[in-house]
Amino acid sequence: MRRDTYKHQGLRQQLIETLRKEGIRNERVLEAMAKLPRHLFLEKAFEEWAYKNVAFPIGNDQTISQPQTVAIQTTLLDIKKGDTVLEVGTGSGYQACILSLLGARVYTIERQSKLFKRTDKLLRDLGFVAIRTFLGDGYAGLPMFAPFDKILVTAGATSLPENLIDQLTIGGHLVIPIGDGEVQTMWRYTKVSEEEIQRESFGKFKFVPFLKGTQ
Ligand code: SAH
């Protein structure tokens, strides 16, 4: 197992200061990000990139989200201890671990089998044994484990997947980037009642595409 050295911890603290300067104010989210060694989610050769505020390739044409994006999406979810949370787009597993550190019961789906296997092993090796990982198409959600208090999509969708709204509890949030091209708008949908959905927008982001089917 790779180590978390003083150097990594120092760089991580600097990243937290950068996030504060960028306007991230949620102390619980910052605390979780200060704890989790992000370099362990990147290949060793690219470790130096782990504590810069940038997205980074993790293989299989995918990226680990920019730390600031993780902080914003996590803040929008407003995680309470014991919340049942579905993440769509496991990728490196970093976001799933942040949700777990905040006390959520995490279910996460990835559509690429290679990435799924690699990340599933990493999560076990890191001791995040409570995170439940699934290989599948996130468009379908996870009906067997629904409803979820919170749902997070970490890939750029072109429209709102109705299945995911159906799988929210009343009062639950769905945080999802939606857009036609390379840029998406961050939306937070709230299921106010069975009939009423509210939505708020939170600026522009760039995600890898939310694709149908598995691979
Ligand atoms: N949350 C990740 C970042 C993921 S990048 C992290 O913390 O590292 C987006 C991920 O969504 C990619 O791994 C991609 O393969 C996955 N993805 C795209 N479409 C999907 C779908 N329909 N279902 C599940 N995962 C999907």
Side-chain angles (χ1 to χ4, degrees):
M1 194 60 198
R2 284 153 63 189
R3 292 174 53 221
D4 186 28
T5 63
Y6 282 124
K7 184 177 160 213
H8 294 124
Q9 290 163 29
L11 290 171
R12 199 147 70 238
Q13 210 44 57
Q14 283 174 22
L15 172 63
I16 300 304
E17 291 317 313
T18 303
L19 294 177
R20 278 188 210 282
K21 286 197 192 102
E22 293 293 339
I24 307 298
R25 296 279 176 266
N26 187 310
E27 288 303 322
R28 285 183 65 227
V29 171
L30 290 170
E31 200 182 301
M33 293 183 73
K35 256 192 218 157
L36 189 61
R38 190 169 183 268
H39 64 280
L40 301 181
F41 297 81
L42 299 182
E43 281 176 41
K44 184 146 179 50
F46 304 123
E47 249 188 45
E48 60 176 297
W49 288 89
Y51 297 108
K52 298 184 196 298
N53 189 17
V54 294
F56 201 79
I58 52 171
N60 303 87
D61 281 336
Q62 300 308 324
T63 57
I64 180 171
S65 299
Q66 183 181 358
Q68 193 171 327
T69 303
V70 171
I72 291 171
Q73 287 200 300
T74 311
T75 300
L76 289 176
L77 284 172
D78 188 23
I79 301 292
K80 306 275 189 283
K81 275 208 174 81
D83 272 356
T84 303
V85 181
L86 171 64
E87 180 198 24
V88 175
T90 313
S92 70
Y94 178 79
Q95 172 76 71
C97 292
I98 292 291
L99 296 170
S100 181
L101 286 174
L102 288 167
R105 301 196 310 179
V106 183
Y107 295 75
T108 181
I109 316 181
E110 172 56 54
R111 66 180 286 279
Q112 290 205 32
S113 59
K114 275 194 190 148
L115 198 50
F116 167 80
K117 282 186 197 138
R118 193 174 84 194
T119 299
D120 181 56
K121 179 174 184 316
L122 177 69
L123 296 183
R124 309 300 143 215
D125 289 350
L126 291 175
F128 285 90
V129 292
I131 296 178
R132 304 188 61 173
T133 57
F134 297 83
L135 175 64
D137 182 356
Y139 268 98
L142 275 183
M144 279 177 58
F145 298 95
F148 298 96
D149 299 307
K150 313 283 160 68
I151 300 178
L152 171 62
V153 177
T154 65
T158 49
S159 63
L160 176 67
E162 288 297 333
N163 288 329
L164 298 185
I165 290 283
D166 290 346
Q167 291 174 32
L168 270 185
T169 55
I170 304 294
H173 294 310
L174 163 65
V175 172
I176 180 170
I178 304 180
D180 286 333
E182 290 206 340
V183 177
Q184 300 90 28
T185 301
M186 188 69 75
W187 291 99
R188 177 168 65 185
Y189 289 80
T190 303
K191 194 173 195 170
V192 180
S193 68
E194 279 306 338
E195 296 77 37
E196 194 191 349
I197 310 289
Q198 281 178 357
R199 63 171 200 174
E200 306 151 90
S201 69
F202 295 91
K204 301 285 183 199
F205 292 80
K206 264 189 178 177
F207 283 82
V208 295
F210 187 12
L211 300 169
K212 291 215 163 108
T214 52
Q215 181 185 313

